[in-house]
Amino acid sequence: MDMSNTRHPVNLALIGFMGTGKTSVGRLVAEQLHFQYLDTDETIQLLTNRSIADIFSKDGEPAFRALEKNLVEELAAQTKTVISTGGGLPAHSANLESLKAHALVVCLWASPEKIWERVKNQTHRPLLHDADPQKKIRELLAAREPFYRQADVLVNTDIRSVREVVQQVVHQFRLESSSR
Ligand code: S3P
């Protein structure tokens, strides 16, 4: 783990591609740490009273990214919160830097094959409404990999159950808290 001594993360942020389990893992991690749980997609939907799909189709992706950026700036005021982020959020360096200032950033990693297995029966993600969604997953994942790799901790979810991933994430956060 690459944590400088000057950092004191009070929150835990989960980043990673669609279908890596950020929501299910995040909720369980929050329970175990007795933290609040906040999902950036859910929060944007609550604040705008619109679905992500509606924002993408009527206003376009850049409008959605601007909403994400504004929300990330506000998250700096949170404490004791598990923040689960939309898959594209850390692909903007300013967002990642902002999260790192107050959160231990954990990336949930999965192979394109596993991701496809997990998302193929879901319809709510506009970026996967594509003629060739498997190719889209491979392309987006390759483009985002350099950002995901900047996380403090990388957890491979291909080889672990949700329960094991949760244990791993909680363990890493406790290690970090006790090493201060
Ligand atoms: C996106 C991922 C989605 C949501 C939006 C865009 C992305 O979140 O933010 O559809 O760019 O990868 P999940 O990662 O929670 O599916």
Side-chain angles (χ1 to χ4, degrees):
M1 188 171 17
D2 175 25
M3 293 289 302
S4 101
N5 292 331
T6 54
R7 282 182 57 202
H8 301 289
V10 291
N11 300 310
L12 192 153
L14 288 175
I15 65 170
F17 206 78
M18 301 172 253
T20 51
K22 290 164 294 180
T23 304
S24 14
V25 169
R27 284 187 195 284
L28 292 166
V29 169
E31 249 176 61
Q32 291 205 16
L33 293 176
H34 304 290
F35 274 24
Q36 284 180 63
Y37 174 76
L38 186 152
D39 181 303
T40 59
D41 285 343
E42 239 173 50
T43 308
I44 288 171
Q45 295 186 109
L46 277 173
L47 290 173
T48 58
N49 202 22
R50 297 169 67 188
S51 70
I52 305 288
D54 184 61
I55 300 171
F56 264 77
S57 73
K58 299 211 178 98
D59 303 351
E61 184 174 346
F64 175 71
R65 299 301 171 199
L67 291 168
E68 277 188 325
K69 185 169 180 290
N70 289 342
L71 176 59
V72 165
E73 284 164 13
E74 292 185 12
L75 293 178
Q78 291 294 126
T79 57
K80 293 194 163 202
T81 304
V82 172
I83 302 161
S84 170
T85 62
L89 185 146
H92 299 263
S93 304
N95 289 345
L96 198 52
E97 274 167 39
S98 178
L99 287 175
K100 279 196 165 195
H102 56 86
L104 180 76
V105 178
V106 177
C107 177
L108 301 188
W109 181 261
S111 62
E113 295 75 25
K114 270 276 172 202
I115 290 169
W116 174 240
E117 234 175 72
R118 293 177 186 157
V119 302
K120 65 183 175 198
N121 295 320
Q122 302 175 341
T123 55
H124 64 282
R125 294 182 174 96
L127 287 177
L128 300 180
H129 297 166
D130 194 88
D132 188 347
Q134 285 179 272
K135 180 162 169 256
K136 185 76 188 253
I137 289 171
R138 283 194 301 274
E139 285 171 359
L140 272 177
L141 189 60
R144 290 174 180 177
E145 183 170 349
F147 296 97
Y148 292 150
R149 287 201 177 277
Q150 289 172 45
D152 300 307
V153 182
L154 205 70
V155 180
N156 187 346
T157 68
D158 276 2
I159 50 163
R160 292 183 171 92
S161 65
V162 169
R163 198 166 147 262
E164 287 168 330
V165 174
V166 170
Q167 275 173 354
Q168 183 74 16
V169 173
V170 168
H171 174 71
Q172 290 291 348
F173 190 79
R174 291 200 170 129
L175 263 186
E176 171 53 28
S177 314
S178 62
S179 68
R180 274 185 232 161

